[in-house]
Amino acid sequence: MNLAQKYLKFINDGNALWTELLIILPTCITTYLLFPEIEYTLKLIISGILCISIVIIHFSIGIYSLIKRDYASFLNFVVLPIFIGVFMLVFGYR
């Protein structure tokens, strides 16, 4: 079992609270970078770059799992982060 398969198994079979935080937190930080009234500090830029790369990896895992017909992983890695990102953008501007 390689590292990617272990990560998928950890996310799909683990405690829902901790694993969903692991998926949602990088998405929230990435979405936070889209708000117009923030100051871009060095710490925010570095954490943003790391979170953007994690979100891209999660999306690629989700697309790969959709090809393999693993719908639970697709839901965890693609649908849930997109839903949370849209939720933050809609309610964050208010």
Side-chain angles (χ1 to χ4, degrees), residues 4-76:
Q5 290 173 342
K6 287 181 184 178
Y7 184 67
L8 276 171
K9 184 171 174 12
F10 171 72
I11 294 294
N12 289 334
D13 297 338
N15 186 357
L17 176 69
W18 296 109
T19 57
E20 296 306 323
L21 278 177
L22 185 66
I23 291 173
I24 290 172
L25 193 61
T27 306
C28 292
I29 293 173
T30 304
T31 307
Y32 179 71
L33 294 174
L34 298 174
F35 289 119
E37 294 128 7
I38 62 169
E39 288 185 33
Y40 288 100
T41 61
L42 182 64
K43 184 194 249 182
L44 182 62
I45 291 172
I46 291 172
S47 65
I49 290 171
L50 289 173
C51 288
I52 287 170
S53 62
I54 290 171
V55 168
I56 289 172
I57 290 169
H58 282 172
F59 276 17
S60 63
I61 289 173
I63 298 300
Y64 178 73
S65 62
L66 181 65
I67 292 170
K68 293 292 186 180
R69 300 193 193 283
D70 183 12
Y71 298 114
S73 296
F74 177 73
L75 181 72
N76 281 336

